[in-house]
Amino acid sequence: IRYQRGPGKAVGMKIAVFAYQDIGYECLKFLIETDEKIVAVVTHEDDPNEEIWFRSVADLAREYRLPVYTPASPNIESFINLMRNHSPDLIFSFYYRRLLSKELLSISPMGGINLHGSLLPKYRGRCPVNWVLINGESETGVTLHDMVEKADAGDILAQKRVTIDLDDTAFSLARKITSAGVQLLKETWPMIKSGSVRKIHQDSVLARTFGGRRPEDGEVHWNQSAMAIYNLIRAVTHPYPGAFTHYDGRKIYLWSARLDPSGGDLNGVDPGTIEAVVEQGGLLVITGLGRLILRKAQVEGGTEISASELLSGQGVTLGSRFGKRSL
């Protein structure tokens, strides 16, 4: 058993950890390494319809012989009683996907602390990494906050800022968020233990809450600007379901793009028009404002290819338009 304490070492506070995804894995790993007593790890069964690109919280917990639970709901009475039997001093939530009820949080004398992937009160709710990219933000961050009945609304314990680069995708930004989140936990943990954290009340006037995203929300609307379409593509590319358009009734996924820096008059050409082949297998497409260079694409049911390969064997022609749902 790797989870051990040295001779004469005092047992730390008892913690119940609700966690998922890479950020949950890394935060749980840190708490294990601090030698606190983790009395329960609560996570999710992986969804077979979801691309699982992150490490398993359950596997990490089992490696250290920690009790692992995957309830369909953490808020049913039987599970709350089970947690009550573990008597945690503190509950942590790291990218766990369900809200914890007031009754569940009340079993812990220190309540619950959540790690959220934005600079609260901005981007409360679901999918903050995707939403900040879609909205073209240049900065985001992570927040440790008290858990209350309303999602992401509790007092702020600490925050760390993360710069968003123009070439960041949801995957690369998620990696940045994970790194920042673990670092924030490491910096704040001594103050949490000692009760010396100076909390900041959230200003609800500044709050904006976002919902979850569905695969169908990835449809490209070519009358939008090149920047808006580029932001959508990078926000939902791998490992997410992907942005898509249509061409003569076929669905085409757009996995990678870049902005066209050349500018120039659009000459009244309809948005979605495929204008030219450019270097490195790209396709130049007219948008509602500016041009976009598509780099990687995939006809539904096919394999991912360079965008220019849509012209060879896929029936796409220069001068035609994306966005047609039927022949």
Side-chain angles (χ1 to χ4, degrees), residues 263-279:
D265 192 351
L266 301 182
N267 298 315
V269 180
D270 290 332
T273 298
I274 305 161
E275 189 174 44
V277 176
V278 294
E279 75 283 354

Side-chain angles (χ1 to χ4, degrees), residues 141-169:
V142 288
T143 302
L144 280 168
H145 68 93
D146 283 338
M147 297 177 73
V148 294
E149 284 186 277
K150 186 174 181 181
D152 308 322
D155 289 349
I156 293 170
L157 280 65
Q159 295 184 310
K160 184 175 286 291
R161 297 181 181 276
V162 172
T163 298
I164 303 174
D165 296 319
L166 188 58
D167 61 352
D168 269 325
T169 65

Side-chain angles (χ1 to χ4, degrees), residues 271-322:
T273 298
I274 305 161
E275 189 174 44
V277 176
V278 294
E279 75 283 354
Q280 299 179 334
L283 279 183
L284 193 65
V285 183
I286 300 293
T287 73
L289 180 62
R291 293 173 172 84
L292 187 70
I293 297 173
L294 300 181
R295 300 175 65 186
K296 296 291 183 180
Q298 178 182 358
V299 176
E300 187 172 35
T303 58
E304 186 173 330
I305 55 178
S306 64
S308 63
E309 290 180 88
L310 292 172
L311 301 179
S312 55
Q314 300 296 338
V316 177
T317 59
L318 293 178
S320 60
R321 291 174 56 198
F322 285 124

Side-chain angles (χ1 to χ4, degrees), residues 213-221 232 236 242-245:
R213 292 189 59 80
R214 306 163 299 170
E216 54 265 36
D217 296 329
E219 183 168 9
V220 169
H221 300 283
L232 174 63
V236 297
F244 64 91
T245 188

Side-chain angles (χ1 to χ4, degrees), residues 191-239:
M191 292 180 286
I192 293 173
K193 287 182 67 177
S194 66
S196 61
V197 176
R198 298 183 63 182
K199 300 180 182 181
I200 301 172
H201 184 70
Q202 285 196 54
D203 186 351
S204 295
V205 174
L206 301 177
R208 187 177 176 192
T209 301
F210 290 81
R213 292 189 59 80
R214 306 163 299 170
E216 54 265 36
D217 296 329
E219 183 168 9
V220 169
H221 300 283
W222 293 101
N223 60 337
Q224 292 186 314
S225 69
M227 178 62 82
I229 296 170
Y230 170 74
N231 285 338
L232 174 63
I233 292 171
R234 68 187 180 126
V236 297
T237 190
H238 302 302

Side-chain angles (χ1 to χ4, degrees), residues 47-276:
D47 184 343
N49 298 314
E50 180 179 354
E51 184 175 343
I52 305 301
W53 53 273
F54 39 83
R55 289 164 294 176
S56 170
V57 167
D59 286 351
L60 177 63
R62 290 179 181 124
E63 180 183 352
Y64 287 88
R65 304 291 181 89
L66 301 174
V68 178
Y69 305 97
T70 57
S73 169
N75 299 314
I76 59 174
E77 191 62 30
S78 60
F79 186 76
I80 293 173
N81 286 334
L82 188 154
M83 286 293 105
R84 188 175 285 117
N85 290 336
H86 282 300
S87 303
D89 299 306
L90 174 66
I91 291 173
F92 264 124
S93 175
F94 306 117
Y95 270 48
Y96 187 73
R97 292 177 172 178
R98 305 206 196 306
L99 285 176
L100 304 187
S101 68
K102 183 177 180 181
E103 184 180 3
L104 177 55
L105 292 171
S106 69
I107 71 175
S108 162
M110 296 180 66
I113 297 174
N114 181 53
L115 179 63
H116 183 73
S118 79
L119 293 174
L120 293 174
K122 296 180 179 179
Y123 291 94
R124 288 181 181 177
R126 302 288 299 278
C127 309
V129 166
N130 308 93
W131 281 115
V132 294
L133 289 171
I134 288 168
N135 291 335
E137 301 284 3
S138 60
E139 182 183 68
T140 185
V142 288
T143 302
L144 280 168
H145 68 93
D146 283 338
M147 297 177 73
V148 294
E149 284 186 277
K150 186 174 181 181
D152 308 322
D155 289 349
I156 293 170
L157 280 65
Q159 295 184 310
K160 184 175 286 291
R161 297 181 181 276
V162 172
T163 298
I164 303 174
D165 296 319
L166 188 58
D167 61 352
D168 269 325
T169 65
F171 182 78
S172 65
L173 185 56
R175 291 294 193 217
K176 289 182 178 182
I177 289 291
T178 294
S179 177
V182 176
Q183 189 59 41
L184 182 64
L185 179 62
K186 289 179 178 179
E187 294 170 359
T188 312
W189 180 234
M191 292 180 286
I192 293 173
K193 287 182 67 177
S194 66
S196 61
V197 176
R198 298 183 63 182
K199 300 180 182 181
I200 301 172
H201 184 70
Q202 285 196 54
D203 186 351
S204 295
V205 174
L206 301 177
R208 187 177 176 192
T209 301
F210 290 81
R213 292 189 59 80
R214 306 163 299 170
E216 54 265 36
D217 296 329
E219 183 168 9
V220 169
H221 300 283
W222 293 101
N223 60 337
Q224 292 186 314
S225 69
M227 178 62 82
I229 296 170
Y230 170 74
N231 285 338
L232 174 63
I233 292 171
R234 68 187 180 126
V236 297
T237 190
H238 302 302
Y240 294 93
F244 64 91
T245 188
H246 293 87
Y247 187 91
D248 286 341
R250 290 176 297 165
K251 192 175 188 178
I252 299 179
Y253 291 95
L254 308 175
W255 294 114
S256 176
R258 67 180 180 87
L259 297 167
D260 173 43
S262 62
D265 192 351
L266 301 182
N267 298 315
V269 180
D270 290 332
T273 298
I274 305 161
E275 189 174 44

